[in-house]
Amino acid sequence: MKTVLVTGASGQLGRSIQQHALETDSINWLFMDSSEIDITSKESLEQCFQNKKIDYCINCAAFTNVEKAESETDKAYRINAEALKELAKICEKYGSVLIHISTDYVFDGRSKIPYSEEDPTNPVNAYGASKLEGELNIQKHMNKYFIFRTSWLYSEYGHNFYLTVVKKSAENVPLNITTAQTGTPTNANHLAQLLLKLIREENNSYGLYHFSNSGETTWHGFAKEILRVTNTLELVELNKDNSYKTIATRPEYSVLNKQKIKDIFNHTPATWQEALRDLHETRYQLGSNL
Ligand SMILES: NC(=O)c1ccc[n+]([C@@H]2O[C@H](COP(=O)([O-])OP(=O)(O)OC[C@H]3O[C@@H](n4cnc5c(N)ncnc54)[C@H](OP(=O)(O)O)[C@@H]3O)[C@@H](O)[C@H]2O)c1
């Protein structure tokens, strides 16, 4: 039986993986939140890895607040970049495969076509720069890794755009949403399912991959579809508004090209609209009152 450690287990991707872990009985899961393993502490990592024979480590731990990363840059780098050096070294030392999640924000957004894994990176904010350095640290210090860059993650857990729109629409608050960025929303459950498939199949095509749902939209387009799916489109005022100034610059275009994942894993992601309906139906079945 394989042992899989999930760090940052109480974040939205960590919780999505926990939900799907219920469907797998051939894996010994170790879900650890930030109070159980601190990825910035060498001692904490060593303590966790030394006696457990961990086959895979899925690293969901990260500093993900893009706005705060501009002022708390040292902290963002400690968690997103420096910690990955030690995590990679420890995985290499104990023969564990590292599955790490990175971001579309490693790109500057000047492209007009989806970014492939070979395209040059050029982050435009501190979060993206720290995540890119994390990728490079992994690639430098170990061999058996998968890095999945993903984009616009949402789920039924934590803080994300989907939950914010659903909550605001329930309160009947007018929504003023930007059309200034184009990307692809990604259902965290779909990413979790891909990671589980990879582990179950013991795939060893290590490397860097892009994964998101397919298609593209703006944040405004995403909000409109959320309202449509939740049957609140007619009830809520939705406006296009590009006047809101964020602290961190965002890439204007950050759609990821998924051809490599199709070729190597034989995996075609669902469209972002299908993925959204999928989440809505899951929540409905679970009896969510949101
Ligand atoms: N969210 C997105 O839209 C998005 C888009 C592209 C890529 N990604 C990437 O996808 C991954 C998962 O994101 P997510 O949305 O699930 O993030 P999340 O909900 O913010 O979860 C991150 C988790 O990391 C934990 N953590 C922070 N510092 C830690 C440390 N030093 N040691 C151990 N755990 C620590 C946090 O725990 P505490 O809360 O206890 O601090 C939190 O549970 C991240 O790598 C992120 O960069 C996310």
Side-chain angles (χ1 to χ4, degrees):
M1 188 178 285
K2 288 185 276 289
T3 297
V4 180
L5 166 68
V6 180
T7 59
S10 61
Q12 70 164 332
L13 181 60
R15 290 178 70 188
S16 300
I17 295 171
Q18 294 200 47
Q19 187 186 313
H20 290 284
L22 301 172
E23 300 154 14
T24 55
D25 49 12
S26 59
I27 292 175
N28 172 32
W29 290 98
L30 300 172
F31 288 104
M32 294 197 176
D33 65 18
S34 58
S35 69
E36 294 162 296
I37 186 167
D38 174 1
I39 65 160
T40 64
S41 156
K42 225 169 153 173
E43 293 71 38
S44 177
L45 291 173
E46 183 66 43
Q47 216 171 33
C48 177
F49 275 75
Q50 63 189 355
N51 298 319
K52 297 198 178 70
K53 175 82 194 72
I54 291 165
D55 298 293
Y56 289 86
C57 169
I58 307 180
N59 180 39
C60 298
F63 185 105
T64 57
N65 190 317
V66 179
E67 293 292 271
K68 276 196 183 158
E70 296 299 310
S71 53
E72 297 179 28
T73 308
D74 287 353
K75 189 174 176 193
Y77 269 82
R78 252 196 326 278
I79 299 170
N80 292 343
E82 285 153 36
L84 272 306
K85 203 185 291 175
E86 294 310 324
L87 187 56
K89 283 186 192 167
I90 208 140
C91 284
E92 189 74 356
K93 177 175 167 188
Y94 288 102
S96 314
V97 176
L98 177 61
I99 300 178
H100 177 70
I101 314 303
S102 192
T103 172
D104 54 332
Y105 282 13
V106 296
F107 296 113
D108 62 18
R110 294 201 194 115
S111 179
K112 300 275 178 271
I113 57 166
Y115 285 100
S116 82
E117 290 81 352
E118 283 76 40
D119 282 327
T121 51
N122 183 28
V124 292
N125 57 45
Y127 166 76
S130 68
K131 293 291 291 184
L132 177 60
E133 196 167 309
E135 289 185 8
L136 297 173
N137 280 336
I138 293 170
Q139 290 165 330
K140 187 167 169 197
H141 292 285
M142 71 181 299
N143 295 307
K144 294 200 290 182
Y145 64 81
F146 293 97
I147 298 172
F148 289 95
R149 290 184 185 140
T150 191
S151 61
W152 299 20
L153 269 191
Y154 66 93
S155 68
E156 57 269 64
Y157 306 116
H159 303 283
N160 59 66
F161 186 80
Y162 164 81
L163 287 178
T164 304
V165 169
V166 171
K167 183 166 177 282
K168 295 227 158 134
S169 68
E171 293 163 357
N172 215 358
V173 177
L175 297 167
N176 301 317
I177 314 276
T178 184
T179 57
Q181 290 123 35
T182 296
T184 313
T186 303
N187 181 334
N189 292 305
H190 289 204
L191 176 55
Q193 282 166 337
L194 175 71
L195 303 185
L196 260 64
K197 174 171 155 17
L198 185 98
I199 293 173
R200 268 198 305 267
E201 293 174 357
E202 300 187 30
N203 193 301
N204 60 5
S205 304
Y206 305 119
L208 171 67
Y209 294 90
H210 286 176
F211 176 82
S212 67
N213 285 120
S214 66
E216 60 184 60
T217 188
T218 63
W219 289 109
H220 180 274
F222 186 24
K224 191 168 182 182
E225 194 65 20
I226 294 168
L227 297 180
R228 200 191 323 271
V229 162
T230 54
N231 292 321
T232 49
L233 190 55
E234 310 303 322
L235 308 173
V236 179
E237 184 185 324
L238 173 64
N239 306 308
K240 290 182 181 167
D241 180 3
N242 295 334
S243 64
Y244 184 74
K245 293 274 169 280
T246 54
I247 302 165
T249 307
R250 263 68 173 180
E252 272 180 30
Y253 182 88
S254 63
V255 178
L256 300 172
N257 177 325
K258 271 81 63 182
Q259 193 55 45
K260 188 174 173 190
I261 222 157
K262 287 180 199 159
D263 292 345
I264 309 250
F265 297 113
N266 192 22
H267 184 86
T268 303
T271 67
W272 68 268
Q273 295 96 330
E274 284 164 354
L276 180 58
R277 268 193 298 280
D278 189 20
L279 181 69
H280 179 64
E281 280 159 22
T282 310
R283 293 183 77 227
Y284 187 72
Q285 281 158 13
L286 291 174
S288 166
N289 57 7
L290 265 174

